């Protein structure tokens, strides 16, 4: 029994040592967060510069309130404090400190302060009954000052994060306080009271400096922290990572993949709805999503409720409108953005932790699935990076929400590369189209361009491992005559897609392979059997892989414009999560007018 206890203690000490030393494979799971951020050296270097700039700014504005000090021989009052001169700090540093703190140290600065002193004293021992009115100047010289403060991250009742000052103290100083301009009493007062006055002065200095630190935190840092949203939409996240900005007018440029269209388009009917109809539909989806994902009202039953839902409502809308005009590429992109805007990630902070050199925050992510047992960072690749670990549970949550609101509905038509030509009912001898694979279609609908509306019938499921993401989904493919609502048939299907992702400088590349594509029973396509559709199934599989890999051949560019606060961004896949690493410019983000050199 004692040996088992000893082994358990040894394992605990080993894990604790790994966390404190910040070794590769740090694991922090106090509340099983679905998102985890890691802040490394460069963030604290920038934060140190920001705090130094703000401290210098606030020091010039310090106000010391009137003070009173009493002795056995009487009391004096000190007021009208003025900062005559000061020397800026030689070093300002902010570093993470276990278990979940940030430590600020400001060192190597000096203050020279003067104040008016007056009162009633009995400074002459031989004449104790004689009270003398005193008036003069208190001169304070404080050198080699070192202030240290510790902070942590707290939340208000509304889940708004803020920085709290846990402790603050003046840990080193060479302070001298003496009375001047008191005439014949100057030497007597300094001889008798200088020690007590110096002690009082040190207390005043500590209180003033810690008040200044507190003002920097509350008035500056927390006011900026308050601007961080409590949630972010996937469309905003997409723009942040992939869309480049024009440096002169700030207008959005085209997608990072170039001028290529959105090949798998969303159905046309959403574009021709009125604005009020769109807004009402979006609000309805948001309200529905908020109800479905309210853990307090659904608890553990949420998964069974959601997984039994379907996208029949979305596909019904897609079929009920006339498709007389194909939407433009820009319109399709706008509809895609509107749908992505309905997918929300919660950024509510669940926990914080620190090692020597790195600081961690766990974020909620609004995840209805069973939360990950642990999120593990891989070895640090870039010491200057901010790392965001997005668990596969978040990806599956987004798939779930997208399925509920009908965002996973796409259109394949004549402008879709490769696939668009494949679903024609007639073609030349040098081409391959649907009539070559399913002759019955050409007989029933000669010389027609078909359109396929794809939609999911169950939420897709993603499994992420190092370098590979595997997505499994089930859905229906509804075939129509393009630009009409004439339905030809419907094929239920399931597929498994493997995405090999490679992180490249300034972009991400990869290769997509459809490992499995199956057509299921209850097929409704010109009374044909499953076996008769095998040729089309294999051709569609090859066409989809060709189209996808053409898009990823050159890689997808990440946002590296000078207008972005992010740089040196990389995206990679690790076991159970997506790892996003980037350099974040918090100096420009928080303080646009701050000098480049501090």
């Amino acid at each position: 029994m004692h040996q088992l206890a000893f082994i358990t203690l040894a394992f605990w000490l080993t894990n604790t040592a790994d966390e404190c030393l910040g070794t590769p494979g740090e694991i922090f799971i106090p509340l099983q967060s679905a998102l985890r951020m890691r802040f490394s050296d460069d963030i604290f270097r920038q934060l140190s510069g920001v705090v130094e700039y703000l401290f210098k700014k606030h020091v010039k504005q310090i106000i010391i309130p009137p003070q009173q000090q009493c002795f056995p021989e009487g009391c004096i009052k000190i007021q009208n404090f003025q900062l005559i001169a000061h020397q800026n700090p030689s070093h300002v540093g902010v570093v993470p400190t276990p278990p979940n703190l940030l430590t600020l140290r400001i060192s190597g600065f000096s203050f020279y302060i003067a104040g008016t002193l007056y009162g009633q004293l009995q400074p002459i021992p031989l004449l104790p009954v004689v009270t003398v009115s005193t008036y003069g100047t208190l001169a304070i010289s404080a050198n080699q000052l070192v202030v240290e403060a510790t902070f942590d991250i707290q939340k208000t009742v509304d889940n708004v994060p803020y920085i709290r000052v846990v402790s603050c103290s003046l840990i080193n100083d060479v302070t001298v306080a003496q009375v001047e301009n008191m005439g014949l009493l100057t030497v007597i007062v300094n001889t008798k009271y200088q020690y007590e006055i110096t002690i009082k002065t040190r207390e005043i200095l500590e209180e003033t400096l810690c008040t200044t630190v507190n003002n920097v935190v509350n008035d500056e840092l927390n006011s900026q922290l308050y601007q961080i949203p409590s949630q972010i939409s996937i469309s905003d996240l997409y723009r942040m990572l992939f869309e480049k900005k024009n440096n002169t007018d700030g207008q959005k440029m085209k997608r990072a993949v170039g001028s290529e269209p959105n090949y798998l388009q969303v159905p046309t009917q959403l574009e021709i709805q009125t604005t009020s109809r769109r807004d009402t539909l979006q609000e309805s989806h948001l309200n529905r999503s908020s109800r479905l994902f309210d853990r307090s009202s659904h608890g553990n039953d949420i998964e069974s409720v959601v997984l039994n839902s379907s996208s029949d409502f979305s596909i019904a809308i897609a079929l009920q409108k006339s498709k007389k005009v194909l939407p433009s590429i820009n319109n399709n992109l706008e509809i895609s953005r509107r749908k992505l805007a309905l997918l929300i990630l919660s950024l509510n902070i669940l926990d914080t932790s620190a090692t020597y050199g790195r600081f961690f925050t766990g974020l909620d992510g609004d995840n209805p699935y069973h939360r990950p047992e642990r999120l593990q960072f891989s070895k640090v690749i870039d010491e200057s990076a901010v790392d965001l670990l997005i668990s596969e549970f978040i990806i599956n949550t987004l798939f779930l929400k997208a399925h509920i609101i009908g965002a996973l509905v796409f259109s394949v038509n004549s402008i879709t590369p490769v696939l668009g030509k494949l679903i024609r009912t007639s073609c030349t001898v040098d081409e391959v189209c649907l009539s070559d694979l399913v002759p019955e279609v050409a007989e029933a609908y000669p010389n027609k361009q078909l359109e396929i509306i794809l939609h999911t019938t169950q939420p897709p499921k993603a499994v992420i491992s190092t370098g590979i993401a595997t997505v499994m989904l089930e859905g229906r493919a509804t075939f129509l005559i393009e630009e009409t609502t004439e339905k030809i048939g419907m094929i239920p299907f399931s597929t498994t897609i493997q995405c090999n992702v490679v992180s490249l400088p300034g972009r991400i590349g990869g290769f997509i392979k459809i490992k499995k594509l199956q057509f299921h029973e209850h097929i409704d396509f010109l009374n044909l059997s499953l076996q008769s559709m095998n040729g089309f199934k294999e051709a569609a599989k090859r066409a989809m892989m060709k189209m996808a890999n053409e898009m990823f051949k050159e890689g997808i560019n990440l946002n590296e414009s000078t207008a972005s606060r992010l740089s040196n961004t990389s995206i990679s896949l690790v076991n159970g999560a997506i790892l996003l690493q980037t350099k974040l410019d918090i100096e420009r983000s928080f303080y646009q007018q701050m000098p480049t050199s501090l």
Side-chain angles (χ1 to χ4, degrees):
M1 183 67 181
H2 293 292
Q3 291 178 344
L4 179 61
F6 177 78
I7 293 173
T8 303
L9 178 62
F11 274 120
W12 179 82
L13 289 173
T14 301
N15 290 334
T16 303
D18 285 345
E19 292 181 1
C20 292
L21 293 173
T23 55
E26 299 113 334
I27 304 171
F28 299 96
I29 51 167
L31 293 176
Q32 294 186 322
S33 55
L35 292 167
R36 184 157 289 278
M37 296 189 72
R38 175 172 62 186
F39 301 93
S40 296
D41 295 345
D42 184 65
I43 286 296
F44 299 108
R45 180 194 62 77
Q46 292 187 65
L47 185 58
S48 299
V50 168
V51 172
E52 180 179 2
Y53 165 73
L54 295 174
F55 182 77
K56 292 176 182 178
K57 170 184 169 183
H58 280 257
V59 158
K60 299 175 183 178
Q61 305 168 3
I62 62 171
I63 298 176
I64 303 176
Q67 305 288 325
Q68 178 174 295
Q69 186 168 11
C70 292
F71 310 98
E73 296 82 5
C75 294
I76 58 173
K77 292 185 178 181
I78 313 169
Q79 61 184 23
N80 299 329
F81 286 98
Q82 292 184 342
L83 181 62
I84 304 302
H86 72 281
Q87 180 180 352
N88 287 327
S90 61
H91 174 75
V92 176
V94 179
V95 295
T97 307
N100 63 338
L101 301 175
L102 294 171
T103 298
L104 165 67
R105 175 169 288 200
I106 306 173
S107 58
F109 62 103
S110 302
F111 280 167
Y112 302 95
I113 301 171
T116 302
L117 179 150
Y118 65 93
Q120 302 287 328
L121 290 175
Q122 298 172 346
I124 304 176
L126 298 178
L127 300 172
V129 296
V130 178
T131 300
V132 179
S133 296
T134 57
Y135 184 88
T137 301
L138 177 64
I140 302 171
S141 173
N143 297 288
Q144 301 177 29
L145 298 175
V146 179
V147 175
E148 186 171 279
T150 57
F151 317 113
D152 65 4
I153 307 295
Q154 295 290 323
K155 293 191 301 182
T156 67
V157 292
D158 297 321
N159 286 326
V160 177
Y162 67 93
I163 300 173
R164 180 186 65 164
V165 179
V166 176
S167 65
C168 180
S169 60
L170 180 63
I171 63 174
N172 186 76
D173 68 292
V174 178
T175 301
V176 176
Q178 60 184 11
V179 173
E180 296 178 352
N181 303 322
M182 199 174 282
L184 296 176
L185 295 177
T186 300
V187 176
I188 297 174
V189 171
N190 281 330
T191 301
K192 191 168 186 179
Y193 303 118
Q194 186 175 24
Y195 177 76
E196 289 87 345
I197 293 175
T198 299
I199 295 298
K200 178 67 174 180
T201 299
R202 190 185 185 283
E203 294 175 358
I204 296 172
L205 275 175
E206 183 175 66
E207 180 181 356
T208 301
L209 291 172
C210 288
T211 299
T212 302
V213 169
N214 202 63
N215 290 339
V216 167
V217 170
N218 291 330
D219 299 343
E220 304 283 357
L221 298 181
N222 280 335
S223 64
Q224 295 296 328
L225 196 60
Y226 182 76
Q227 304 300 321
I228 298 176
S230 60
Q231 58 186 22
I232 185 172
S233 71
I234 298 304
S235 60
D236 289 337
L237 187 61
Y238 173 85
R239 283 194 293 267
M240 186 187 305
L241 294 176
F242 296 107
E243 285 193 353
K244 295 186 177 181
K245 303 287 184 179
N246 188 306
N247 292 339
T248 57
D249 57 12
Q251 297 297 317
K252 297 174 184 174
M253 298 179 68
K254 292 183 179 180
R255 294 181 61 186
V257 292
S259 58
E260 299 294 336
N262 185 16
Y263 295 135
L264 294 181
Q265 302 173 27
V266 293
T268 310
Q269 88 293 334
L270 291 178
E271 176 59 28
I272 61 178
Q273 291 173 350
T274 63
T275 303
S276 60
R277 168 65 175 164
R278 288 181 187 147
D279 295 340
T280 303
L281 185 60
Q282 287 183 6
E283 290 176 3
S284 173
H285 285 323
L286 283 172
N287 292 335
R288 180 184 177 194
S289 297
S290 63
R291 290 196 301 270
L292 284 170
F293 291 95
D294 186 352
R295 299 178 67 87
S296 61
S297 61
H298 291 276
N300 295 329
D301 296 333
I302 182 171
E303 186 168 347
S304 60
V305 172
V306 172
L307 293 181
N308 288 330
S309 66
S310 69
S311 301
D312 289 340
F313 173 73
S314 299
I315 195 66
I317 295 179
L319 296 176
Q320 70 183 3
K321 296 288 184 177
S322 174
K323 301 180 180 181
K324 296 182 179 179
V325 180
L326 285 173
S328 67
I329 293 171
N330 289 335
N331 286 339
N332 279 286
L333 290 175
E334 179 59 28
I335 298 171
S336 298
R337 289 192 184 99
R338 286 178 176 271
K339 287 192 172 187
L340 290 176
L342 299 177
L343 302 179
I344 304 297
L345 275 180
S346 169
L347 301 182
N348 181 27
I349 294 178
L350 295 182
D351 60 82
T352 59
S353 51
T355 64
Y356 292 109
R358 302 185 192 109
F359 193 82
F360 302 80
T361 59
L363 307 178
D364 181 17
D366 189 21
N367 182 13
Y369 289 107
H370 176 68
R371 288 182 172 271
E373 294 183 359
R374 68 179 188 177
L375 274 181
Q376 181 173 355
F377 278 103
S378 60
K379 183 178 179 180
V380 178
I381 299 175
D382 183 358
E383 286 287 350
S384 68
V386 174
D387 303 332
L388 173 62
L389 204 58
I390 307 171
S391 71
E392 68 182 26
F393 297 87
I394 286 294
I395 306 304
N396 288 322
T397 294
L398 294 175
F399 278 149
L400 177 62
K401 292 181 180 180
H403 172 73
I404 290 171
I405 65 176
L408 300 178
V409 180
F410 305 98
S411 172
V412 179
N413 52 43
S414 57
I415 66 172
T416 306
V418 187
L419 277 174
K421 293 182 178 180
L422 182 64
I423 55 175
R424 293 177 298 173
T425 62
S426 61
C427 55
T428 65
V429 293
D430 297 328
E431 298 176 312
V432 177
C433 59
L434 190 58
S435 59
D436 299 317
L437 305 169
V438 187
E440 292 83 353
V441 177
E443 296 174 3
Y445 301 95
N447 300 317
K448 297 294 183 182
Q449 172 68 54
L450 302 188
E451 179 176 3
I452 305 175
I453 294 180
L454 302 169
H455 71 101
T456 56
T457 54
Q458 292 290 329
K461 177 70 181 295
V463 177
I464 302 176
S465 58
T466 302
I468 299 174
T470 303
V471 179
M472 295 152 284
L473 63 86
E474 296 182 16
R476 292 192 189 120
T478 303
F479 291 75
L480 307 98
I481 303 296
E482 189 176 68
E483 300 186 23
T484 74
T485 57
E486 184 178 355
K487 181 178 176 181
I488 294 178
M490 181 275 298
I491 300 177
F493 68 92
S494 63
T495 183
T496 300
I497 303 171
Q498 179 177 296
C499 306
N500 295 70
V501 176
V502 179
S503 180
L504 303 170
R507 65 190 192 279
I508 55 173
F511 178 80
I512 293 179
K513 179 181 180 181
I514 299 178
K515 298 188 67 176
K516 182 184 72 172
L517 176 61
Q518 290 183 336
F519 291 169
H520 296 303
E521 297 292 341
H522 308 297
I523 183 174
D524 179 15
F525 199 87
L526 301 178
N527 295 320
L528 297 176
S529 64
L530 280 176
Q531 290 73 18
S532 62
M533 298 297 294
N534 283 339
F536 172 69
K537 179 182 68 175
E538 293 301 319
K541 179 179 175 181
R542 291 192 297 270
M544 287 290 292
M545 287 194 295
K546 180 179 179 181
M547 182 188 73
N549 289 318
E550 282 292 326
M551 294 173 61
F552 286 100
K553 182 170 62 175
E554 299 298 329
I556 299 178
N557 294 328
L558 299 171
N559 187 357
E560 294 289 336
S561 69
T562 56
S564 173
R565 299 185 183 101
L566 307 180
S567 61
N568 299 332
T569 302
S570 67
I571 298 176
S572 57
L573 302 182
V574 296
N575 285 332
I578 298 174
L579 176 62
L580 187 151
Q581 293 188 297
T582 188
K583 182 174 181 180
L584 175 63
D585 187 347
I586 64 172
E587 293 175 344
R588 186 176 65 175
S589 174
F590 279 68
Y591 304 98
Q592 297 289 345
Q593 304 302 321
M594 193 174 72
T596 54
S597 60
L598 296 173

